[in-house]
Amino acid sequence: MAMYPDLKGKTAIITGGGKRAGLGFAMAVRLAQEGVNIVLADLGDAQASPAPTQEMQALAAELQGAGVQALPLVCDMLDAAAVQAMVDTAVAHFGRIDILVNNAGVGYLMKPIVEMTVQEWDTVLGVNLRGVFLATQAVARHMIAHGGGGRIVNIASQAAKSGFPNASAYTASKHGLVGLTRVAAIELGKHRINVNAICPNHVTTGLGAWQNAYFAEQAGVSLDDYLAAMRSRIPLGRPGLQSDTANACAYLCSEQSQYMTGEAMNVSGGEEYH
Ligand SMILES: NC(=O)c1ccc[n+]([C@@H]2O[C@H](COP(=O)([O-])OP(=O)(O)OC[C@H]3O[C@@H](n4cnc5c(N)ncnc54)[C@H](O)[C@@H]3O)[C@@H](O)[C@H]2O)c1
């Protein structure tokens, strides 16, 4: 249901938006409901392949079916030139970019600090933090030159506020992402570019399902028992849904949130409160 008429006709880049069960595509669907044109950026089938995956093409076709324009683009967030090229292509195609959702993230590399390799650390920080810096820089330069303001939404995590075992790189990257959000908000406020982060707790995406299995195994409990314990910690009694984050994203992209910037907004059913 469309709630924010000011969003109609705008264009958003969503990084890591090419997985059906992921938060990125949920945000794409939600913004498309508001009439926002969408650039779905994600990894291709092979790192060197310029062609969007079949899944990305199918998701873009669904968005088009909902009445907006959608452009799937291959982009490895570890590759600075590829990020700039993706933004340039998006600008050439749509004329302007109004919204950047920095959603691409790596959460699979879980290990105790004493076992983690430097390469694993660099991959997580490279996608989750350096990649956000690269996309923010490229899009902010475009937004400033265009002069129309804009919105940047960074998908952080509950791991931006609390620590989790075997997730040193992930937790450090998400804490760092809140810091990057605050600095970007300060620097870009004069250009009417609002920058906020969303901190979801668990959502059973592809990544979320993998994390559940991993943490249940680490704790030596069944998946059902692990999920029951998770629900019991959450005041609202359930884990997050993709739509919870997508609704928060639409709000942060809309004029209704025009006086909010530099925030790290919890969407956690009350589990995280600082
Ligand atoms: N699922 C959760 O419980 C949860 C909770 C809090 C925050 N998050 C965050 O939400 C975001 C989306 O995660 P998700 O749960 O939808 O998982 P997901 O694995 O479905 O989505 C992550 C996306 O990032 C993409 N990606 C990974 N490396 C990339 C790279 N080098 N270049 C470009 N794209 C790359 C993946 O292809 C994928 O589409 C992530 O930043 C994650 O940290 C997830």
Side-chain angles (χ1 to χ4, degrees):
M1 182 182 58
M3 293 177 64
Y4 307 114
D6 56 280
L7 285 178
K8 192 170 172 55
K10 299 211 161 166
T11 298
I13 293 174
I14 302 180
T15 68
K19 298 281 189 300
R20 179 171 295 284
L23 293 177
F25 184 61
M27 291 185 282
V29 169
R30 182 68 190 85
L31 290 176
Q33 286 170 357
E34 301 290 342
V36 176
N37 300 315
I38 304 290
V39 177
L40 279 183
D42 212 320
L43 293 171
D45 279 324
Q47 296 241 334
S49 168
T53 63
Q54 285 189 352
E55 186 174 17
M56 288 168 73
Q57 295 184 38
L59 299 180
E62 276 182 37
L63 295 171
Q64 305 223 111
V68 299
Q69 295 182 59
L71 179 67
L73 290 178
V74 170
C75 178
D76 182 348
M77 301 306 295
L78 290 170
D79 180 342
V83 174
Q84 185 65 55
M86 180 272 288
V87 173
D88 289 346
T89 305
V91 171
H93 188 89
F94 287 108
R96 61 181 285 174
I97 301 302
D98 308 284
I99 295 163
L100 168 66
V101 181
N102 283 307
N103 167 76
V106 173
Y108 295 100
L109 294 172
M110 298 271 179
K111 280 185 184 173
I113 291 170
V114 292
E115 292 174 17
M116 184 156 236
T117 67
V118 172
Q119 190 184 22
E120 288 164 342
W121 173 275
D122 285 348
T123 298
V124 177
L125 271 289
V127 177
N128 296 10
L129 194 51
R130 182 175 177 270
V132 175
F133 157 71
L134 293 171
T136 299
Q137 183 180 64
V139 171
R141 284 173 174 163
H142 159 73
M143 288 174 170
I144 291 167
H146 202 277
R151 297 299 166 98
I152 299 175
V153 178
N154 295 328
I155 306 307
S157 170
Q158 188 176 11
K161 306 279 185 83
S162 293
F164 293 89
N166 299 352
S168 56
Y170 187 76
T171 303
S173 73
K174 296 299 187 179
H175 275 67
L177 183 51
V178 170
L180 176 57
T181 301
R182 290 179 176 146
V183 175
I186 293 166
E187 292 184 7
L188 299 175
K190 60 179 173 289
H191 301 289
R192 291 188 299 114
I193 301 169
N194 298 36
V195 188
N196 291 290
I198 298 174
C199 301
N201 65 343
H202 172 75
V203 185
T204 309
T205 60
L207 169 62
W210 182 91
Q211 288 180 341
N212 285 341
Y214 176 83
F215 283 121
E217 189 188 336
Q218 291 290 311
V221 299
S222 71
L223 185 59
D224 283 349
D225 286 350
Y226 175 78
L227 293 174
M230 176 193 284
R231 284 193 294 275
S232 75
R233 289 194 303 271
I234 302 170
L236 292 182
R238 65 164 175 84
L241 300 172
Q242 283 84 340
S243 56
D244 297 317
T245 294
N247 286 331
C249 177
Y251 169 70
L252 288 175
C253 293
S254 79
E255 278 304 301
Q256 295 297 311
S257 64
Q258 61 178 264
Y259 200 54
M260 290 179 63
T261 197
E263 293 289 342
M265 180 196 267
N266 297 318
V267 179
S268 73
E271 187 179 15
E272 191 66 55
Y273 51 84
H274 79 287

PDB file of all heavy atoms in Angstrom, residues 10-11 96-100 139-152 188-195 253 255:
ATOM      1  N   LYS A  10      10.737   8.650  -7.950  1.00  0.00           N
ATOM      2  CA  LYS A  10      12.149   8.719  -7.552  1.00  0.00           C
ATOM      3  C   LYS A  10      12.859   7.441  -7.976  1.00  0.00           C
ATOM      4  O   LYS A  10      12.229   6.465  -8.390  1.00  0.00           O
ATOM      5  CB  LYS A  10      12.245   8.928  -6.041  1.00  0.00           C
ATOM      6  CG  LYS A  10      11.582  10.234  -5.635  1.00  0.00           C
ATOM      7  CD  LYS A  10      12.210  10.870  -4.443  1.00  0.00           C
ATOM      8  CE  LYS A  10      11.801  12.332  -4.439  1.00  0.00           C
ATOM      9  NZ  LYS A  10      12.040  13.032  -3.253  1.00  0.00           N
ATOM     10  N   THR A  11      14.180   7.461  -7.839  1.00  0.00           N
ATOM     11  CA  THR A  11      14.978   6.286  -8.219  1.00  0.00           C
ATOM     12  C   THR A  11      15.898   5.900  -7.075  1.00  0.00           C
ATOM     13  O   THR A  11      16.550   6.763  -6.475  1.00  0.00           O
ATOM     14  CB  THR A  11      15.819   6.578  -9.481  1.00  0.00           C
ATOM     15  OG1 THR A  11      14.921   6.873 -10.560  1.00  0.00           O
ATOM     16  CG2 THR A  11      16.664   5.374  -9.865  1.00  0.00           C
ATOM     17  N   ARG A  96      18.887  10.507 -12.705  1.00  0.00           N
ATOM     18  CA  ARG A  96      19.301  10.912 -11.353  1.00  0.00           C
ATOM     19  C   ARG A  96      19.012   9.784 -10.365  1.00  0.00           C
ATOM     20  O   ARG A  96      18.129   8.955 -10.597  1.00  0.00           O
ATOM     21  CB  ARG A  96      18.586  12.178 -10.908  1.00  0.00           C
ATOM     22  CG  ARG A  96      17.088  12.052 -10.844  1.00  0.00           C
ATOM     23  CD  ARG A  96      16.462  13.340 -10.425  1.00  0.00           C
ATOM     24  NE  ARG A  96      16.643  13.569  -8.982  1.00  0.00           N
ATOM     25  CZ  ARG A  96      16.288  14.701  -8.391  1.00  0.00           C
ATOM     26  NH1 ARG A  96      15.792  15.696  -9.091  1.00  0.00           N
ATOM     27  NH2 ARG A  96      16.446  14.840  -7.089  1.00  0.00           N
ATOM     28  N   ILE A  97      19.744   9.815  -9.276  1.00  0.00           N
ATOM     29  CA  ILE A  97      19.537   8.860  -8.184  1.00  0.00           C
ATOM     30  C   ILE A  97      19.123   9.660  -6.955  1.00  0.00           C
ATOM     31  O   ILE A  97      19.800  10.617  -6.573  1.00  0.00           O
ATOM     32  CB  ILE A  97      20.842   8.068  -7.879  1.00  0.00           C
ATOM     33  CG1 ILE A  97      21.309   7.308  -9.132  1.00  0.00           C
ATOM     34  CG2 ILE A  97      20.626   7.099  -6.714  1.00  0.00           C
ATOM     35  CD1 ILE A  97      20.335   6.327  -9.711  1.00  0.00           C
ATOM     36  N   ASP A  98      18.014   9.294  -6.355  1.00  0.00           N
ATOM     37  CA  ASP A  98      17.495   9.999  -5.178  1.00  0.00           C
ATOM     38  C   ASP A  98      17.765   9.253  -3.882  1.00  0.00           C
ATOM     39  O   ASP A  98      17.783   9.859  -2.807  1.00  0.00           O
ATOM     40  CB  ASP A  98      15.970  10.173  -5.314  1.00  0.00           C
ATOM     41  CG  ASP A  98      15.594  10.810  -6.639  1.00  0.00           C
ATOM     42  OD1 ASP A  98      15.777  12.030  -6.762  1.00  0.00           O
ATOM     43  OD2 ASP A  98      15.147  10.082  -7.551  1.00  0.00           O
ATOM     44  N   ILE A  99      17.919   7.937  -3.989  1.00  0.00           N
ATOM     45  CA  ILE A  99      18.003   7.086  -2.793  1.00  0.00           C
ATOM     46  C   ILE A  99      19.091   6.037  -3.006  1.00  0.00           C
ATOM     47  O   ILE A  99      19.159   5.418  -4.075  1.00  0.00           O
ATOM     48  CB  ILE A  99      16.650   6.359  -2.559  1.00  0.00           C
ATOM     49  CG1 ILE A  99      15.534   7.363  -2.239  1.00  0.00           C
ATOM     50  CG2 ILE A  99      16.770   5.308  -1.460  1.00  0.00           C
ATOM     51  CD1 ILE A  99      14.127   6.787  -2.396  1.00  0.00           C
ATOM     52  N   LEU A 100      19.914   5.855  -1.995  1.00  0.00           N
ATOM     53  CA  LEU A 100      20.876   4.740  -1.988  1.00  0.00           C
ATOM     54  C   LEU A 100      20.590   3.900  -0.755  1.00  0.00           C
ATOM     55  O   LEU A 100      20.593   4.422   0.360  1.00  0.00           O
ATOM     56  CB  LEU A 100      22.313   5.270  -1.932  1.00  0.00           C
ATOM     57  CG  LEU A 100      23.390   4.210  -1.635  1.00  0.00           C
ATOM     58  CD1 LEU A 100      23.505   3.188  -2.770  1.00  0.00           C
ATOM     59  CD2 LEU A 100      24.753   4.894  -1.388  1.00  0.00           C
ATOM     60  N   VAL A 139      27.610   8.009  -4.912  1.00  0.00           N
ATOM     61  CA  VAL A 139      26.231   8.518  -5.008  1.00  0.00           C
ATOM     62  C   VAL A 139      26.142   9.930  -4.415  1.00  0.00           C
ATOM     63  O   VAL A 139      25.437  10.790  -4.954  1.00  0.00           O
ATOM     64  CB  VAL A 139      25.243   7.549  -4.328  1.00  0.00           C
ATOM     65  CG1 VAL A 139      23.850   8.165  -4.222  1.00  0.00           C
ATOM     66  CG2 VAL A 139      25.172   6.240  -5.119  1.00  0.00           C
ATOM     67  N   ALA A 140      26.840  10.178  -3.319  1.00  0.00           N
ATOM     68  CA  ALA A 140      26.785  11.513  -2.707  1.00  0.00           C
ATOM     69  C   ALA A 140      27.356  12.558  -3.669  1.00  0.00           C
ATOM     70  O   ALA A 140      26.817  13.670  -3.777  1.00  0.00           O
ATOM     71  CB  ALA A 140      27.537  11.529  -1.375  1.00  0.00           C
ATOM     72  N   ARG A 141      28.428  12.213  -4.372  1.00  0.00           N
ATOM     73  CA  ARG A 141      28.980  13.162  -5.352  1.00  0.00           C
ATOM     74  C   ARG A 141      27.925  13.496  -6.405  1.00  0.00           C
ATOM     75  O   ARG A 141      27.759  14.656  -6.796  1.00  0.00           O
ATOM     76  CB  ARG A 141      30.227  12.571  -6.018  1.00  0.00           C
ATOM     77  CG  ARG A 141      31.454  12.625  -5.116  1.00  0.00           C
ATOM     78  CD  ARG A 141      32.620  11.871  -5.751  1.00  0.00           C
ATOM     79  NE  ARG A 141      33.846  12.030  -4.964  1.00  0.00           N
ATOM     80  CZ  ARG A 141      34.911  11.247  -5.097  1.00  0.00           C
ATOM     81  NH1 ARG A 141      34.913  10.255  -5.986  1.00  0.00           N
ATOM     82  NH2 ARG A 141      35.978  11.449  -4.354  1.00  0.00           N
ATOM     83  N   HIS A 142      27.218  12.472  -6.865  1.00  0.00           N
ATOM     84  CA  HIS A 142      26.150  12.695  -7.856  1.00  0.00           C
ATOM     85  C   HIS A 142      25.033  13.545  -7.253  1.00  0.00           C
ATOM     86  O   HIS A 142      24.562  14.510  -7.886  1.00  0.00           O
ATOM     87  CB  HIS A 142      25.598  11.350  -8.338  1.00  0.00           C
ATOM     88  CG  HIS A 142      24.235  11.461  -8.934  1.00  0.00           C
ATOM     89  ND1 HIS A 142      24.009  12.029 -10.175  1.00  0.00           N
ATOM     90  CD2 HIS A 142      23.010  11.121  -8.451  1.00  0.00           C
ATOM     91  CE1 HIS A 142      22.715  12.023 -10.427  1.00  0.00           C
ATOM     92  NE2 HIS A 142      22.088  11.483  -9.405  1.00  0.00           N
ATOM     93  N   MET A 143      24.597  13.205  -6.041  1.00  0.00           N
ATOM     94  CA  MET A 143      23.490  13.952  -5.415  1.00  0.00           C
ATOM     95  C   MET A 143      23.870  15.418  -5.203  1.00  0.00           C
ATOM     96  O   MET A 143      23.060  16.322  -5.413  1.00  0.00           O
ATOM     97  CB  MET A 143      23.100  13.311  -4.078  1.00  0.00           C
ATOM     98  CG  MET A 143      22.361  11.977  -4.207  1.00  0.00           C
ATOM     99  SD  MET A 143      22.105  11.232  -2.564  1.00  0.00           S
ATOM    100  CE  MET A 143      20.987   9.877  -2.983  1.00  0.00           C
ATOM    101  N   ILE A 144      25.107  15.658  -4.765  1.00  0.00           N
ATOM    102  CA  ILE A 144      25.555  17.037  -4.531  1.00  0.00           C
ATOM    103  C   ILE A 144      25.565  17.808  -5.848  1.00  0.00           C
ATOM    104  O   ILE A 144      25.064  18.938  -5.941  1.00  0.00           O
ATOM    105  CB  ILE A 144      26.962  17.043  -3.867  1.00  0.00           C
ATOM    106  CG1 ILE A 144      26.863  16.503  -2.441  1.00  0.00           C
ATOM    107  CG2 ILE A 144      27.559  18.453  -3.873  1.00  0.00           C
ATOM    108  CD1 ILE A 144      28.214  16.179  -1.811  1.00  0.00           C
ATOM    109  N   ALA A 145      26.104  17.183  -6.895  1.00  0.00           N
ATOM    110  CA  ALA A 145      26.163  17.853  -8.204  1.00  0.00           C
ATOM    111  C   ALA A 145      24.761  18.127  -8.728  1.00  0.00           C
ATOM    112  O   ALA A 145      24.505  19.162  -9.347  1.00  0.00           O
ATOM    113  CB  ALA A 145      26.938  16.979  -9.199  1.00  0.00           C
ATOM    114  N   HIS A 146      23.857  17.236  -8.463  1.00  0.00           N
ATOM    115  CA  HIS A 146      22.494  17.376  -8.964  1.00  0.00           C
ATOM    116  C   HIS A 146      21.715  18.427  -8.182  1.00  0.00           C
ATOM    117  O   HIS A 146      20.844  19.119  -8.721  1.00  0.00           O
ATOM    118  CB  HIS A 146      21.787  16.017  -8.889  1.00  0.00           C
ATOM    119  CG  HIS A 146      20.635  15.915  -9.811  1.00  0.00           C
ATOM    120  ND1 HIS A 146      19.390  16.405  -9.500  1.00  0.00           N
ATOM    121  CD2 HIS A 146      20.535  15.407 -11.062  1.00  0.00           C
ATOM    122  CE1 HIS A 146      18.574  16.184 -10.512  1.00  0.00           C
ATOM    123  NE2 HIS A 146      19.240  15.587 -11.470  1.00  0.00           N
ATOM    124  N   GLY A 147      22.042  18.531  -6.898  1.00  0.00           N
ATOM    125  CA  GLY A 147      21.452  19.592  -6.078  1.00  0.00           C
ATOM    126  C   GLY A 147      20.066  19.332  -5.540  1.00  0.00           C
ATOM    127  O   GLY A 147      19.455  20.224  -4.952  1.00  0.00           O
ATOM    128  N   GLY A 148      19.576  18.139  -5.682  1.00  0.00           N
ATOM    129  CA  GLY A 148      18.198  17.872  -5.240  1.00  0.00           C
ATOM    130  C   GLY A 148      18.080  17.151  -3.913  1.00  0.00           C
ATOM    131  O   GLY A 148      16.994  16.685  -3.555  1.00  0.00           O
ATOM    132  N   GLY A 149      19.181  17.050  -3.177  1.00  0.00           N
ATOM    133  CA  GLY A 149      19.129  16.311  -1.916  1.00  0.00           C
ATOM    134  C   GLY A 149      19.077  14.815  -2.158  1.00  0.00           C
ATOM    135  O   GLY A 149      19.322  14.334  -3.275  1.00  0.00           O
ATOM    136  N   GLY A 150      18.748  14.072  -1.121  1.00  0.00           N
ATOM    137  CA  GLY A 150      18.663  12.618  -1.284  1.00  0.00           C
ATOM    138  C   GLY A 150      18.584  11.905   0.046  1.00  0.00           C
ATOM    139  O   GLY A 150      18.582  12.539   1.112  1.00  0.00           O
ATOM    140  N   ARG A 151      18.497  10.607  -0.035  1.00  0.00           N
ATOM    141  CA  ARG A 151      18.423   9.749   1.158  1.00  0.00           C
ATOM    142  C   ARG A 151      19.399   8.587   1.005  1.00  0.00           C
ATOM    143  O   ARG A 151      19.448   7.967  -0.064  1.00  0.00           O
ATOM    144  CB  ARG A 151      17.014   9.176   1.335  1.00  0.00           C
ATOM    145  CG  ARG A 151      15.936  10.235   1.584  1.00  0.00           C
ATOM    146  CD  ARG A 151      16.237  10.996   2.864  1.00  0.00           C
ATOM    147  NE  ARG A 151      15.438  12.203   2.948  1.00  0.00           N
ATOM    148  CZ  ARG A 151      14.311  12.311   3.633  1.00  0.00           C
ATOM    149  NH1 ARG A 151      13.855  11.288   4.301  1.00  0.00           N
ATOM    150  NH2 ARG A 151      13.662  13.453   3.665  1.00  0.00           N
ATOM    151  N   ILE A 152      20.128   8.334   2.064  1.00  0.00           N
ATOM    152  CA  ILE A 152      20.991   7.155   2.112  1.00  0.00           C
ATOM    153  C   ILE A 152      20.589   6.344   3.336  1.00  0.00           C
ATOM    154  O   ILE A 152      20.503   6.882   4.450  1.00  0.00           O
ATOM    155  CB  ILE A 152      22.480   7.554   2.168  1.00  0.00           C
ATOM    156  CG1 ILE A 152      22.854   8.344   0.899  1.00  0.00           C
ATOM    157  CG2 ILE A 152      23.363   6.317   2.316  1.00  0.00           C
ATOM    158  CD1 ILE A 152      24.275   8.899   0.886  1.00  0.00           C
ATOM    159  N   LEU A 188      26.874  15.624   4.961  1.00  0.00           N
ATOM    160  CA  LEU A 188      25.961  15.750   3.823  1.00  0.00           C
ATOM    161  C   LEU A 188      24.675  16.497   4.155  1.00  0.00           C
ATOM    162  O   LEU A 188      23.873  16.791   3.265  1.00  0.00           O
ATOM    163  CB  LEU A 188      25.634  14.352   3.255  1.00  0.00           C
ATOM    164  CG  LEU A 188      26.851  13.583   2.743  1.00  0.00           C
ATOM    165  CD1 LEU A 188      26.460  12.164   2.326  1.00  0.00           C
ATOM    166  CD2 LEU A 188      27.515  14.314   1.578  1.00  0.00           C
ATOM    167  N   GLY A 189      24.496  16.818   5.451  1.00  0.00           N
ATOM    168  CA  GLY A 189      23.262  17.501   5.844  1.00  0.00           C
ATOM    169  C   GLY A 189      23.045  18.805   5.084  1.00  0.00           C
ATOM    170  O   GLY A 189      21.920  19.125   4.687  1.00  0.00           O
ATOM    171  N   LYS A 190      24.127  19.544   4.861  1.00  0.00           N
ATOM    172  CA  LYS A 190      23.987  20.844   4.177  1.00  0.00           C
ATOM    173  C   LYS A 190      23.552  20.681   2.724  1.00  0.00           C
ATOM    174  O   LYS A 190      23.115  21.641   2.092  1.00  0.00           O
ATOM    175  CB  LYS A 190      25.279  21.654   4.264  1.00  0.00           C
ATOM    176  CG  LYS A 190      26.495  21.012   3.655  1.00  0.00           C
ATOM    177  CD  LYS A 190      27.698  21.956   3.794  1.00  0.00           C
ATOM    178  CE  LYS A 190      29.007  21.324   3.367  1.00  0.00           C
ATOM    179  NZ  LYS A 190      29.511  20.288   4.284  1.00  0.00           N
ATOM    180  N   HIS A 191      23.679  19.461   2.217  1.00  0.00           N
ATOM    181  CA  HIS A 191      23.222  19.190   0.844  1.00  0.00           C
ATOM    182  C   HIS A 191      21.824  18.550   0.849  1.00  0.00           C
ATOM    183  O   HIS A 191      21.383  18.027  -0.168  1.00  0.00           O
ATOM    184  CB  HIS A 191      24.206  18.262   0.134  1.00  0.00           C
ATOM    185  CG  HIS A 191      25.590  18.822   0.062  1.00  0.00           C
ATOM    186  ND1 HIS A 191      25.926  19.892  -0.746  1.00  0.00           N
ATOM    187  CD2 HIS A 191      26.727  18.485   0.728  1.00  0.00           C
ATOM    188  CE1 HIS A 191      27.214  20.176  -0.584  1.00  0.00           C
ATOM    189  NE2 HIS A 191      27.720  19.342   0.301  1.00  0.00           N
ATOM    190  N   ARG A 192      21.173  18.561   1.975  1.00  0.00           N
ATOM    191  CA  ARG A 192      19.843  17.956   2.148  1.00  0.00           C
ATOM    192  C   ARG A 192      19.861  16.468   1.799  1.00  0.00           C
ATOM    193  O   ARG A 192      18.941  15.929   1.218  1.00  0.00           O
ATOM    194  CB  ARG A 192      18.784  18.700   1.319  1.00  0.00           C
ATOM    195  CG  ARG A 192      18.511  20.111   1.854  1.00  0.00           C
ATOM    196  CD  ARG A 192      17.344  20.767   1.164  1.00  0.00           C
ATOM    197  NE  ARG A 192      17.566  20.932  -0.253  1.00  0.00           N
ATOM    198  CZ  ARG A 192      16.870  20.315  -1.205  1.00  0.00           C
ATOM    199  NH1 ARG A 192      15.888  19.504  -0.896  1.00  0.00           N
ATOM    200  NH2 ARG A 192      17.144  20.536  -2.467  1.00  0.00           N
ATOM    201  N   ILE A 193      20.954  15.835   2.178  1.00  0.00           N
ATOM    202  CA  ILE A 193      21.055  14.376   2.043  1.00  0.00           C
ATOM    203  C   ILE A 193      20.999  13.794   3.450  1.00  0.00           C
ATOM    204  O   ILE A 193      21.899  14.043   4.262  1.00  0.00           O
ATOM    205  CB  ILE A 193      22.365  13.951   1.338  1.00  0.00           C
ATOM    206  CG1 ILE A 193      22.446  14.582  -0.060  1.00  0.00           C
ATOM    207  CG2 ILE A 193      22.468  12.431   1.267  1.00  0.00           C
ATOM    208  CD1 ILE A 193      23.810  14.438  -0.721  1.00  0.00           C
ATOM    209  N   ASN A 194      19.934  13.089   3.749  1.00  0.00           N
ATOM    210  CA  ASN A 194      19.773  12.459   5.064  1.00  0.00           C
ATOM    211  C   ASN A 194      20.387  11.062   5.022  1.00  0.00           C
ATOM    212  O   ASN A 194      20.151  10.308   4.067  1.00  0.00           O
ATOM    213  CB  ASN A 194      18.296  12.316   5.421  1.00  0.00           C
ATOM    214  CG  ASN A 194      17.583  13.643   5.529  1.00  0.00           C
ATOM    215  OD1 ASN A 194      17.882  14.567   4.777  1.00  0.00           O
ATOM    216  ND2 ASN A 194      16.635  13.744   6.442  1.00  0.00           N
ATOM    217  N   VAL A 195      21.134  10.734   6.055  1.00  0.00           N
ATOM    218  CA  VAL A 195      21.804   9.427   6.105  1.00  0.00           C
ATOM    219  C   VAL A 195      21.446   8.745   7.424  1.00  0.00           C
ATOM    220  O   VAL A 195      21.726   9.285   8.507  1.00  0.00           O
ATOM    221  CB  VAL A 195      23.337   9.574   6.005  1.00  0.00           C
ATOM    222  CG1 VAL A 195      23.999   8.208   5.854  1.00  0.00           C
ATOM    223  CG2 VAL A 195      23.730  10.496   4.852  1.00  0.00           C
ATOM    224  N   CYS A 253      13.125   6.935   3.682  1.00  0.00           N
ATOM    225  CA  CYS A 253      13.296   7.528   2.351  1.00  0.00           C
ATOM    226  C   CYS A 253      12.269   8.632   2.092  1.00  0.00           C
ATOM    227  O   CYS A 253      12.422   9.411   1.144  1.00  0.00           O
ATOM    228  CB  CYS A 253      13.166   6.458   1.266  1.00  0.00           C
ATOM    229  SG  CYS A 253      14.512   5.259   1.296  1.00  0.00           S
ATOM    230  N   GLU A 255       9.486  11.908   2.945  1.00  0.00           N
ATOM    231  CA  GLU A 255       9.512  13.236   3.572  1.00  0.00           C
ATOM    232  C   GLU A 255       9.062  13.191   5.034  1.00  0.00           C
ATOM    233  O   GLU A 255       9.311  14.121   5.802  1.00  0.00           O
ATOM    234  CB  GLU A 255       8.622  14.199   2.788  1.00  0.00           C
ATOM    235  CG  GLU A 255       9.291  14.784   1.559  1.00  0.00           C
ATOM    236  CD  GLU A 255      10.604  15.498   1.890  1.00  0.00           C
ATOM    237  OE1 GLU A 255      10.596  16.446   2.691  1.00  0.00           O
ATOM    238  OE2 GLU A 255      11.650  15.084   1.368  1.00  0.00           O
TER     239      GLU A 255
END
